[in-house]
Amino acid sequence: MPSRVSLIVVAAGRGARLGAATPKQYLACAGKPLICHALEALAAARSYCAATVVIHPDDRALYQSALAFLSPAATATFGPPAIGGDSRQQSVRAGLEAQSDAAPDVVLIHDAARIFPSLALVERAVAAAERYGAAAPGAPLSDTVKQIDAEGRVVATPDRSLLRAAQTPQAFRFPLILDAHRRAAAAGVDGLTDDAAVAAWAGHETYVFDGDPANVKVTTMDDLSAAEARLFDAAADIRIGQGFDVHAFAAGDHVWLGGLRIPHERSLAGYSDADVCLHALADALYGALGDGDIGAHFPPSDPRWRGAASSIFLSHAAGRVRTRGGVVAHLDATLICEAPKIGPHREAMRARIAEIAGIALDRVAVKATTSEGLGFAGRREGIACLAVATIRLPAR
Ligand code: MG
């Protein structure tokens, strides 16, 4: 009969090494809290007879909001969280106690900060627990390891081929590890940093099975950025949207273009400030999202948008990308007019557009052309703008 396998995800740490106010497992990574990536991957790997996330008592609200980012399948996998203690050992024990009624054969214990547990790794973990009773995934070390004393003097250079960096999920026969944790707690032993060490302390032979070098732990901000890049690369949901807008000239003494007020012998007519450039850019973003257009989000029938600064539209569209967990990779606008001259204002427009969209200057392009006297732009009846936006959305 196949083993009844349960899962404990330890997420009660304070993440002090990242130096952020929010514990690292709840920091945003590719559009959702870090912990969600681990939970999704584990839920997708197999089914469990019980699955418990152990959280810190201060994090109830953070965990509740993180759940909103989970797929229905992952949401259904995890039951109510267990509340952890002051140490990792206490937290794992809280998770084990919460599952004692479910009486699993095998339990996998995983750190929430490892967000890339693969299906193959999870299956190796289950097999290792069935075979050995207590086992941890281990990755070979690429660096030579030095053992030092308090002054930094090297006292030993262990044989690297016999060393492994322990990862999670660690895997155990459930009664073995529950008993080991209970005994360690009763003996006042509380500083062990992984469950293989708890099993070993309790006198069990513990084994290392093949880990996965890609199963890294997010510990620093650099790790977080690297994890995010990997998630985006894996997803590669890159989208391009286009926008187009025209406004006619009317009486006036300035135009709004690219978020700048530019003195001119005429103004552009429109319900808002008629910034044809920001309108085209906003529509390009809505287009990339498949999310309507300016008119749908800001109906001209609504008096709130009379004379509105068009920066509102562009920042709203960029915000819609971020709400979806995405990033604006690039904005490119081409203005078509005989006058005013765009060249002298180009760099200021780029800077203003970058500011409104919340992206770096080098991700914004503004170009201009005349239409050689042809058509409405050539007859100086109005200004047209073409725009393209590239966005990247995270994996679903
Ligand atoms: Mg318009």
Side-chain angles (χ1 to χ4, degrees), residues 133-225:
L141 301 177
S142 51
D143 295 328
T144 294
V145 174
K146 299 292 183 189
Q147 186 182 340
I148 59 173
D149 64 14
E151 279 75 49
R153 188 184 305 119
V154 173
V155 296
T157 302
D159 179 356
R160 189 172 71 187
S161 69
L162 297 176
L163 295 175
R164 293 292 180 272
Q167 305 181 330
T168 66
Q170 299 189 355
F172 307 90
R173 289 199 195 104
F174 185 86
L176 178 158
I177 195 67
L178 175 61
D179 174 69
H181 268 280
R182 283 175 173 171
R183 283 163 52 200
V189 172
D190 196 38
L192 302 175
T193 54
D194 73 352
D195 303 290
V198 176
W201 174 87
H204 300 286
E205 284 194 336
T206 56
Y207 288 77
V208 168
F209 59 95
D210 280 346
D212 179 354
N215 179 33
V216 291
K217 186 172 187 175
V218 174
T219 302
T220 64
M221 278 297 176
D222 282 347
D223 297 338
L224 190 70
S225 304

